[in-house]
């Protein structure tokens, strides 16, 4: 089956409708209980159209949650100058607070410890961003620190979403920030 061109506005609208329908379905039931038939009915598209755009519900869910990854990367880098070693940038606390409405969906895609399909995307994107920044700064330890930053953030985020860390959004933002600042300063 041919996939639509990436810049095709009709395809973008269809994917947006499918993502919206998925969030609505997941507000009513866990992802594991969502069926393609109910999803396409809610989105107002045909089953074949769904499969033109996605290989399955997990692929749609990861795509729908990809904005979370971009938001996380941006929130972690939303500071200028010298970072405050104790308090996270406000964007990071706002990021954690923004997860609440769809926390169950994120939990289904992000396993404790940071694994799962969303965890892999988060780790990949955050590591790449961190690696670029460390290399631009001329850090010899760029690959090591980039991997540590990505793994630490993905793991803490996942564990917080799964209730393994008891903290408010603001507190977990400060705590993970302190860990990341320490990783950058340790080498």
């Amino acid at each position: 089956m041919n996939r639509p061109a990436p810049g095709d506005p009709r395809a973008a609208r269809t994917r947006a409708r499918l993502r919206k329908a998925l969030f609505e379905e997941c507000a009513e039931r866990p992802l594991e209980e969502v069926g393609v038939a109910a999803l396409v009915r809610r989105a107002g598209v045909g089953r074949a159209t769904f499969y033109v755009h996605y290989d399955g519900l997990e692929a749609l869910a990861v795509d729908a949650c990809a904005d979370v990854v971009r938001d996380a990367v941006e929130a972690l880098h939303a500071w200028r100058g010298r970072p405050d070693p104790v308090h996270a940038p406000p964007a990071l606390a706002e990021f954690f607070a923004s997860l609440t409405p769809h926390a169950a969906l994120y939990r289904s895609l992000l396993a404790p410890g940071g694994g799962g399909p969303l965890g892999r995307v988060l780790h990949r994107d955050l590591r790449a961003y961190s690696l670029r920044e460390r290399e631009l700064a001329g850090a010899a330890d760029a690959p090591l620190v980039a991997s540590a930053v990505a793994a630490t953030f993905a793991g803490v985020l996942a564990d917080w979403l799964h209730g393994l860390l008891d903290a408010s959004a603001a507190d977990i933002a400060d705590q993970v920030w302190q860990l990341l600042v320490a990783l950058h300063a340790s080498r």
Side-chain angles (χ1 to χ4, degrees), residues 3-80:
R3 298 274 181 204
D8 181 351
R10 292 171 300 163
R13 283 192 301 272
T14 300
R15 285 191 296 273
R17 288 169 64 186
L18 288 165
R19 288 189 299 265
K20 181 178 184 282
L22 178 74
F23 281 125
E24 290 169 355
E25 286 289 319
C26 287
E28 299 171 6
R29 65 188 57 78
L31 178 62
E32 299 78 34
E33 294 177 15
V34 173
V36 173
L39 180 82
V40 298
R41 194 169 31 257
R42 186 180 288 251
V45 302
R47 191 178 187 93
T49 299
F50 171 82
Y51 286 108
V52 165
H53 295 278
Y54 297 103
D55 294 331
L57 283 173
E58 185 177 280
L60 167 59
V62 170
D63 181 48
C65 295
D67 285 341
V68 169
V69 172
R70 285 186 287 280
D71 291 347
V73 172
E74 288 174 18
L76 283 171
H77 296 91
W79 55 274
R80 296 288 173 253

Side-chain angles (χ1 to χ4, degrees), residues 17 25 55 59 74 80 85 102 112 115 129 136 138 142 165 176 183:
R17 288 169 64 186
E25 286 289 319
D55 294 331
E74 288 174 18
R80 296 288 173 253
H102 304 295
Y129 193 103
L136 285 173
L165 299 172
V176 75
L183 282 171

